[in-house]
Amino acid sequence: MAYFIKSCASNLDWPKDDRKEVCFIGRSNVGKSSLINALANEKIAKTSNTPGRTQLANFYDFDDYRLIDLPGYGFAKVNKSKHYELSKIISEYIYVRSNLICVYQVIDISVITDLDIKMFETISKRFANHYVILNKIDKQNKSFFNNNIKKICEKFNATEEKFIPVSSKEKTNINILKKSILAMVK
């Protein structure tokens, strides 16, 4: 059974143990919260149509691991001081957290940006265990991923194995994502 643990603004608030963690990172409004709910098979994360609602590191318990939902990079409409705070939360977690074993970058398959590619490059330098969840495939025709995977791989300079196409809405390939996460934490 999965459940929300707490939200944290800094490493002072993080759980203090050696439990394995995976995190979701992505631009605002790519569906990270909906994806967490699909993985949990129930609503444990708050969802919103307004980009940038996640402004803390949100910790969730998933029996075998913890999943952390980081604030969206790209930061919807926030002032400079809030931009700095959100950047600090992301950087601190990604570069300091020793429990972190795998990063899942969530991207809207219909809107791949230069910022997504830069973040992929940054995370790849730090983590070999880094995958891209191409979310919202339900908004494309069924062959979109297969027809465009080579282009997507070229954009990211990565192999096809790094990408997991999903739809949190339709729960398409959620089982594949679950298997990927469990393989990382075992």
Side-chain angles (χ1 to χ4, degrees):
M1 181 173 166
Y3 59 92
F4 171 76
I5 301 170
K6 66 178 178 173
S7 296
C8 302
S10 80
N11 63 359
L12 300 175
D13 301 324
W14 295 342
K16 311 279 190 269
D17 58 27
D18 60 356
R19 188 113 190 260
K20 292 179 181 177
E21 295 175 349
V22 298
C23 78
F24 282 0
I25 187 169
R27 282 182 297 108
S28 298
N29 213 30
V30 295
K32 292 182 286 137
S33 297
S34 296
L35 196 52
I36 290 167
N37 291 337
L39 281 169
N41 207 27
E42 63 181 300
K43 187 171 177 145
I44 61 171
K46 293 179 184 175
T47 58
S48 172
N49 289 331
T50 307
R53 288 287 180 189
T54 303
Q55 298 196 347
L56 298 168
N58 293 316
F59 286 70
Y60 297 89
D61 186 274
F62 277 80
D63 294 332
D64 299 317
Y65 62 94
R66 263 193 303 261
L67 189 148
I68 291 65
D69 180 14
L70 294 174
Y73 56 82
F75 314 114
K77 295 177 181 175
V78 296
N79 62 35
K80 283 187 180 184
S81 68
K82 191 61 167 177
H83 183 278
Y84 174 77
E85 283 177 44
L86 297 175
S87 293
K88 185 176 183 244
I89 291 169
I90 292 169
S91 296
E92 191 173 58
Y93 183 80
I94 293 286
Y95 291 105
V96 175
R97 187 66 167 165
S98 60
N99 300 54
L100 180 60
I101 59 165
C102 187
V103 176
Y104 288 89
Q105 184 179 359
V106 183
I107 295 174
D108 182 333
I109 194 166
S110 303
V111 189
I112 299 172
T113 68
D114 289 341
L115 190 55
D116 292 322
I117 295 165
K118 286 178 186 167
M119 184 59 77
F120 178 86
E121 291 167 353
T122 300
I123 295 169
S124 292
K125 289 176 186 171
R126 169 87 167 86
F127 290 96
N129 293 331
H130 171 218
Y131 298 91
V132 174
I133 300 169
L134 296 168
N135 197 16
K136 303 184 182 183
I137 62 169
D138 55 285
K139 295 190 177 191
Q140 298 293 336
N141 66 45
K142 291 190 185 281
S143 61
F144 182 85
F145 175 75
N146 293 331
N147 291 341
N148 289 288
I149 186 59
K150 284 189 168 73
K151 290 178 192 171
I152 293 169
C153 289
E154 286 172 11
K155 274 186 178 187
F156 286 90
N157 193 25
T159 62
E160 190 173 334
E161 293 76 32
K162 287 284 186 186
F163 300 94
I164 305 169
V166 303
S167 166
S168 51
K169 181 179 178 183
E170 305 284 329
K171 296 197 176 183
T172 307
N173 294 336
I174 294 299
N175 60 335
I176 292 170
L177 178 57
K178 283 181 183 180
K179 286 178 186 175
S180 172
I181 293 171
L182 289 173
M184 290 293 116
V185 299
K186 294 292 178 179

